[in-house]
Amino acid sequence: MTAKTWGLLLILGLIWGGSFFFARIAVQHVPPFTLVFLRLSLAALALHIYLRGGFGLYGALRSRWREFLVMGLINNALPHTLIFFGQTEIGAGLAAILNATTPIFTVLIANKLTTDEKLSSTKLAGCLLGLAGTAVLIGPSALLQHSVPLWALMLPVLAAVSYGLASTYGKRFKALPAPVTATGQLTASTLIMLPVALLADHPWTLSLPPMTSILAILALALISTAFGYILFFRIMALAGATNASLVTLLVPPSALLLGILFLGERLEVTDLAGMTLIGAGLVVLDGRLLHLRRAGA
């Protein structure tokens, strides 16, 4: 990892942390189904313009449209919808922390559905730490009636499970150029969300949101989604998928910082404890610190 790659990784962490921040602003004025559709459709359009049919995009769309529909559902349409509905009640920082459990569920799902990614003792320890952190975050709402609604806390976690399924399913796209996979799944998820938004929200009856929400939607689609994908694939090309996955550790702090600075959010002691446990679980799952410690010994 060069200084340039670390810089790109930090920028991506801020951009993807910003997605929770932008969503929290927009969802106050735009229904979640419509917001998901706008995010996906604008991002898909931007990537189509960026690629201009390159990398065999249109041929891949024609031949693998069924796979793109599945990937678009479990990696975009469903998790985005769950997170946005959750963010009608919870802040950007807490939503990002709960969704940071994605690698934990990815490991658990891969252990069940694949033959080459089984649980090791290190992975099991990381998963247990992460699940303990999730329990700490959700526990108070399950016990105290005046706390945040339990369903709002559960939705980002369910989104993490959906992302975990997508990580396993996404292996079948290895032969495709990464920008084609991104554009294909965003195109498919746009088609999925169009009838949902039309039937559920009747968007033609909605009043025009304030300029802050319009700008948040544009940033969510063009910066956090379209540009975020391009930047992620650039990091993968420079440093590999494992190093690129370190962005998972950077998203919650950036979302938390933006929420505190601009939205007046604050976390309780239990929230910080849960974030610490989840972060520790992700570090253990990553395994690099453990390897460095063994090498030093």
Side-chain angles (χ1 to χ4, degrees):
M1 291 272 283
T2 64
K4 176 184 177 181
T5 307
W6 276 111
L8 293 175
L9 195 68
L10 290 171
I11 293 171
L12 182 61
L14 182 62
I15 286 174
W16 278 354
S19 68
F20 293 90
F21 168 73
F22 297 133
R24 180 59 176 166
I25 295 173
V27 81
Q28 305 301 313
H29 301 280
V30 180
F33 287 128
T34 298
L35 181 57
V36 172
F37 169 73
L38 290 172
R39 175 183 186 175
L40 297 175
S41 60
L42 291 172
L45 178 61
L47 285 180
H48 273 283
I49 294 172
Y50 173 74
L51 289 180
R52 298 189 298 277
F55 298 99
L57 172 62
Y58 299 136
L61 289 175
R62 285 192 297 269
S63 63
R64 307 187 67 168
W65 64 270
R66 294 178 182 84
E67 293 171 302
F68 281 131
L69 280 174
V70 174
M71 191 65 174
L73 175 65
I74 60 178
N75 200 44
N76 296 131
L78 179 58
H80 291 350
T81 300
L82 292 171
I83 292 170
F84 289 173
F85 269 103
Q87 285 199 262
T88 60
E89 294 287 343
I90 63 176
L94 184 53
I97 294 168
L98 288 166
N99 196 240
T101 55
T102 294
I104 296 161
F105 289 109
T106 300
V107 168
L108 295 174
I109 290 169
N111 176 69
K112 188 70 175 178
L113 299 182
T114 68
T115 58
D116 60 339
E117 292 191 40
K118 295 302 181 182
L119 274 176
S120 63
S121 58
T122 302
K123 287 183 178 180
L124 180 60
C127 288
L128 291 176
L129 280 170
L131 293 175
T134 307
V136 169
L137 286 169
I138 294 176
S141 283
L143 299 174
L144 302 176
Q145 293 183 354
H146 66 273
S147 189
V148 177
L150 179 61
W151 63 264
L153 293 170
M154 289 300 300
L155 292 185
V157 178
L158 293 175
V161 176
S162 186
Y163 283 134
L165 286 169
S167 295
T168 301
Y169 185 81
K171 291 182 178 181
R172 66 189 59 211
F173 297 102
K174 280 185 175 180
L176 289 179
V180 171
T181 302
T183 308
Q185 67 174 354
L186 285 170
T187 303
S189 54
T190 296
L191 296 176
I192 292 171
M193 290 307 302
L194 176 59
V196 175
L198 291 175
L199 292 173
D201 294 337
H202 304 127
W204 59 88
T205 66
L206 301 175
S207 58
L208 185 68
M211 183 56 64
T212 53
S213 290
I214 294 174
L215 293 175
I217 292 168
L218 291 174
L220 186 64
L222 302 179
I223 298 177
S224 294
T225 307
F227 181 66
Y229 269 125
I230 294 170
L231 189 57
F232 179 70
F233 297 141
R234 177 61 175 163
I235 295 170
M236 285 185 64
L238 290 173
T242 301
N243 285 325
S245 69
L246 286 174
V247 73
T248 309
L249 295 170
L250 304 175
V251 171
S254 63
L256 179 59
L257 180 62
L258 290 169
I260 291 173
L261 291 177
F262 299 104
L263 301 177
E265 296 178 0
R266 64 184 183 88
L267 293 183
E268 303 295 337
V269 174
T270 53
D271 298 332
L272 295 173
M275 181 175 68
T276 301
L277 285 170
I278 291 172
L282 296 178
V283 169
V284 172
L285 281 177
D286 180 64
R288 265 173 281 198
L289 286 180
L290 183 61
H291 291 317
L292 287 174
R293 184 177 178 182
R294 287 175 178 171

